[in-house]
Amino acid sequence: MTFPGRRGSAPVRAVDGVGFDLAAGETLGLVGESGCGKSTTGRMIVRLLEPTAGSVEYDGRPIAHLSQRALKPLRREIQMVFQDPHSSLNPRQSVARIIADPLLVQGSSPEEARKRAVELMELVGLIPEHADRRPHEFSGGQAQRIGIARALATGPRLVVADEPVSALDVSVQAQIVNLMERLQDELGLAYLFIAHDLSVVKRVCDRVAVMYLGRIVEIGPKQQVYETPAHPYTRALLSAVPLPDPTAERTRERLTLLGDPPSPAAPPPGCTFHPRCPKAQPICRTERPLLRPLAPTDPREVACHFPD
């Protein structure tokens, strides 16, 4: 995904050569610093953005460049939960109408849609008697439950969750994560879980993909990525996650990155991580590493000339 530059400046490559698959019922965590292209990737999958190049396939069918009319049936199966619950809800509508909207778009009658909306409120832990209230009458956690209910209205198989708990208090985050895990078990959902909080990702995800400056630098099963990270950037992210044991926190080794992330409008040549990498060698400055298997028996893929 390339965005045009402002006032004649260079175009911005927000996402550049990202590729992964997601199985039915699986949760893939997409992590990285702010501005690395996580949310843009999620918005391309649900077709809020049309990719500049490349393809998106759902159940073997290319959907990246379908017309809005052709996309309409697929909207039932692919939905999104947004980061800021209140800004994603229409303040002029009742909760029941907000949740029912996707069903009305798909042709359900108002009576059927409202009935389903009330059922979904109960499913996500909201009081059905509050169906006629407006979003401002709910807390942040309750508003996110409304967003989740709206995403579930059409019975999707895939939900793209774009930092669904980052705007919430820590105690409320745990409640929403518990809710999403329960719904996944009950409904057989697949999640693309976009986040920057690695502690949350570790809890909810089966696999993890780490993004840096528009590219995936490491992807694999959660256990291997967290316990033996192969890419220096993954190691740096994990070393910044606080440990619950104060003694271990004081004695742990931290990997400090050099400088700030480069601008996506002017990415460095070769490996885009090399200006900040403590292991960078001359080849890193000239040759872009490909995402490839770490070892024949290792399920991870890593884009690094010198992986651990």
Side-chain angles (χ1 to χ4, degrees):
M1 184 72 211
T2 300
F3 295 105
R6 295 181 178 179
R7 298 178 181 177
S9 60
V12 176
R13 290 189 175 185
V15 177
D16 187 12
V18 164
F20 57 84
D21 56 14
L22 178 62
E26 181 187 31
T27 301
L28 174 65
L30 193 59
V31 303
E33 294 171 291
S34 296
C36 71
K38 307 185 300 295
S39 295
T40 300
T41 300
R43 288 170 180 267
M44 285 193 290
I45 290 173
V46 300
R47 274 297 308 276
L48 290 178
L49 293 173
E50 183 170 336
T52 309
S55 64
V56 179
E57 293 186 2
Y58 175 75
D59 207 14
R61 179 184 178 187
I63 65 170
H65 305 290
L66 291 179
S67 66
Q68 291 300 318
R69 182 176 181 181
L71 271 175
K72 185 176 179 179
L74 284 173
R75 295 293 188 198
R76 286 185 169 273
E77 301 199 24
I78 308 173
Q79 288 290 321
M80 190 165 189
V81 176
F82 297 92
Q83 178 178 1
D84 186 342
H86 280 292
S87 68
S88 68
L89 305 177
N90 189 333
R92 298 176 180 273
Q93 292 183 345
S94 68
V95 169
R97 175 58 192 270
I98 289 170
I99 298 173
D101 258 347
L103 293 169
L104 296 172
V105 170
Q106 293 289 338
S108 296
S109 69
E111 294 77 17
E112 292 173 334
R114 181 180 173 86
K115 180 181 178 182
R116 178 60 177 156
V118 172
E119 293 172 352
L120 286 165
M121 288 184 67
E122 191 169 7
L123 180 66
V124 300
L126 295 170
I127 300 174
E129 287 75 18
H130 295 169
D132 292 317
R133 293 187 177 184
R134 298 296 190 269
H136 72 272
E137 300 179 71
F138 294 84
S139 68
Q142 292 171 325
Q144 193 60 289
R145 291 174 187 266
I146 297 169
I148 292 171
R150 177 180 57 187
L152 298 179
T154 57
R157 296 171 60 198
L158 168 62
V159 174
V160 176
D162 186 7
E163 305 213 31
V165 298
S166 65
L168 307 176
D169 293 338
V170 174
S171 59
V172 180
Q173 287 182 6
Q175 297 171 18
I176 297 300
V177 167
N178 290 337
L179 171 65
M180 294 186 69
E181 289 182 317
R182 175 174 64 81
L183 293 171
Q184 184 175 40
D185 291 338
E186 293 179 5
L187 305 176
L189 300 169
Y191 288 140
L192 177 64
F193 196 95
I194 299 169
H196 62 266
D197 188 333
L198 292 172
S199 300
V200 174
V201 170
K202 184 177 182 180
R203 173 177 170 179
V204 304
C205 296
D206 303 301
R207 289 189 300 136
V208 179
V210 181
M211 283 189 72
Y212 181 79
L213 210 64
R215 299 170 180 171
I216 290 179
V217 297
E218 183 167 357
I219 183 171
K222 171 180 63 180
Q223 183 174 354
Q224 284 92 334
V225 171
Y226 273 80
E227 293 182 0
T228 56
H231 196 282
Y233 179 61
T234 309
R235 289 182 57 215
L237 288 180
L238 291 173
S239 74
V241 177
L243 297 177
D245 183 353
T247 302
E249 178 67 26
R250 287 194 300 268
T251 58
R252 72 189 298 191
E253 177 188 0
R254 289 191 181 274
L255 180 60
T256 303
L257 299 180
L258 307 173
D260 298 319
S263 168
C271 175
T272 54
F273 185 60
H274 85 258
R276 308 176 72 195
C277 181
K279 300 176 63 177
Q281 301 294 322
I283 189 176
C284 304
R285 299 178 178 89
T286 58
E287 185 175 326
R288 173 181 172 179
L290 301 177
L291 190 67
R292 54 193 172 193
L294 183 61
T297 59
D298 197 309
R300 283 176 295 173
E301 294 178 277
V302 183
C304 182
H305 292 300
F306 303 101
D308 291 332

